[in-house]
Amino acid sequence: MSKIIAVTSGKGGTGKSSISACLGYALAKQGNRTLIIELDFGLRCMDIMLGMQGNITYDLGDVLEGTCDVYKATTTVKLASNLSVLCAPSDPFVQLKAEDIEKITQEMRKYFEYIIIDTSAGINGSVFDIVTNSDLILIVTTPDPVCVRDARMMSDEFYKRGNQKQRLVINKANKRIFEFDEMDDLDAIIDTVGVQLLGVIPEDSAIPLATGKGAPLSSSSMGFLAFSAISRRIKGEHIPLSIKV
Ligand SMILES: Nc1ncnc2c1ncn2[C@@H]1O[C@H](COP(=O)(O)OP(=O)(O)OP(=O)(O)O)[C@@H](O)[C@H]1O
């Protein structure tokens, strides 16, 4: 049975696209057929993050306009043969309708075990419906108090609409923030958002370095270890939380 995983956050810049790319890579390298669908219309970045810049022939815009079949519009990523991507249209004015994305994801369930949806930030009508209808919602926050509060608001809305399958991902965790900010530990963040923790990703310069070059994370980096643990937990393995920031 395939799983549709939406990666979302209240605030922008929390790391949704980086997480979608690195998580997709981790799942694919573990042998799972994985597709990343990018919904950041007009702000495409997944081609760069996955080392596919200049190699994307079709995108989601072609599918939504009916000029290309959805499977044909996906591109296999060179870094990992189990990983494919359906990039966002570079035209920001292509209309996004929740029912179209629903049709696309249902069709793609035939081919992929994991379908990761990288969303734009905040509460936008159609994106909200798409996320609500997914099998698992990853609510991404950084330890920044504003970001944590926005994560809570998003999560409350998803619960109100009936989605109980939410997990929290705390990104860009670092010692400095825990020492000097209001959110003085991970428990405070988890309690404020009110969602079960799936994983903590440290602030790690290896992540922008890798995604900026479209290269995989080095297997000795803290980021790599965090994504490997998160992907295994998604698959139901019991991987204890070990947090080093
Ligand atoms: N764990 C991390 N450690 C260090 N830098 C990170 C980490 N996660 C993400 N970043 C950096 O933070 C910036 C924002 O990340 P990203 O573009 O993935 O966020 P986003 O939530 O998708 O943004 P947007 O809301 O604009 O779509 C990027 O420069 C990225 O490299």
Side-chain angles (χ1 to χ4, degrees):
M1 180 62 184
S2 62
K3 196 171 233 176
I4 297 172
I5 304 169
V7 182
T8 192
S9 69
K11 212 167 174 289
T14 54
K16 297 174 295 299
S17 299
S18 310
I19 291 172
S20 299
C22 297
L23 178 61
Y25 179 79
L27 285 166
K29 278 294 184 188
Q30 287 158 19
N32 304 103
R33 278 171 291 115
T34 305
L35 172 68
I36 300 172
I37 301 181
E38 183 183 32
L39 290 190
D40 243 348
F41 283 29
L43 296 169
R44 178 199 282 191
C45 64
M46 206 46 79
D47 53 341
I48 297 178
M49 287 187 164
L50 297 173
M52 296 298 290
Q53 193 177 13
N55 290 295
I56 302 293
T57 310
Y58 300 107
D59 62 32
L60 194 48
D62 298 301
V63 182
L64 295 174
E65 282 160 10
T67 53
C68 183
D69 165 72
V70 54
Y71 187 70
K72 191 174 165 197
T74 65
T75 309
T76 305
V77 172
K78 287 181 189 158
L79 297 174
S81 56
N82 273 327
L83 182 61
S84 294
V85 64
L86 181 52
C87 284
S90 33
D91 175 359
F93 300 107
V94 174
Q95 245 214 326
L96 173 66
K97 287 201 208 120
E99 57 269 30
D100 291 340
I101 302 299
E102 178 78 14
K103 253 192 247 157
I104 289 170
T105 49
Q106 291 311 326
E107 170 73 9
M108 290 299 92
R109 278 188 193 273
K110 287 191 243 164
Y111 305 99
F112 298 97
E113 293 162 89
Y114 292 97
I115 299 168
I116 298 174
I117 303 181
D118 174 30
T119 70
S120 49
I123 300 180
N124 153 329
S126 354
V127 173
F128 217 77
D129 290 340
I130 294 161
V131 175
T132 304
N133 293 336
S134 61
D135 302 316
L136 174 65
I137 303 177
L138 301 190
I139 308 256
V140 181
T141 185
T142 69
D144 165 38
V146 176
C147 202
V148 172
R149 190 187 56 193
D150 287 353
R152 170 68 189 235
M153 283 161 58
M154 294 284 283
S155 164
D156 282 350
E157 280 303 319
F158 295 129
Y159 279 129
K160 262 191 231 156
R161 290 166 185 233
N163 191 311
Q164 305 295 322
K165 292 269 180 67
Q166 302 183 37
R167 291 291 180 271
L168 180 64
V169 176
I170 301 174
N171 189 27
K172 304 190 191 181
N174 69 41
K175 268 203 194 97
R176 183 176 33 82
I177 285 173
F178 289 122
E179 276 165 13
F180 297 111
D181 254 334
E182 249 176 72
M183 292 291 159
D184 51 8
D185 62 18
L186 290 175
D187 285 341
I189 299 175
I190 300 162
D191 289 348
T192 306
V193 182
V195 171
Q196 189 181 328
L197 184 67
L198 179 71
V200 178
I201 304 163
E203 185 162 58
D204 180 0
S205 57
I207 294 175
L209 271 176
T211 53
K213 281 195 296 205
L217 275 171
S218 135
S219 57
S220 60
S221 65
M222 294 202 297
F224 179 90
L225 298 175
F227 285 111
S228 166
I230 288 174
S231 55
R232 291 187 182 281
R233 287 188 201 111
I234 286 176
K235 294 195 284 181
E237 290 178 41
H238 180 71
I239 309 288
L241 271 176
S242 71
I243 299 148
K244 292 195 187 76
V245 291

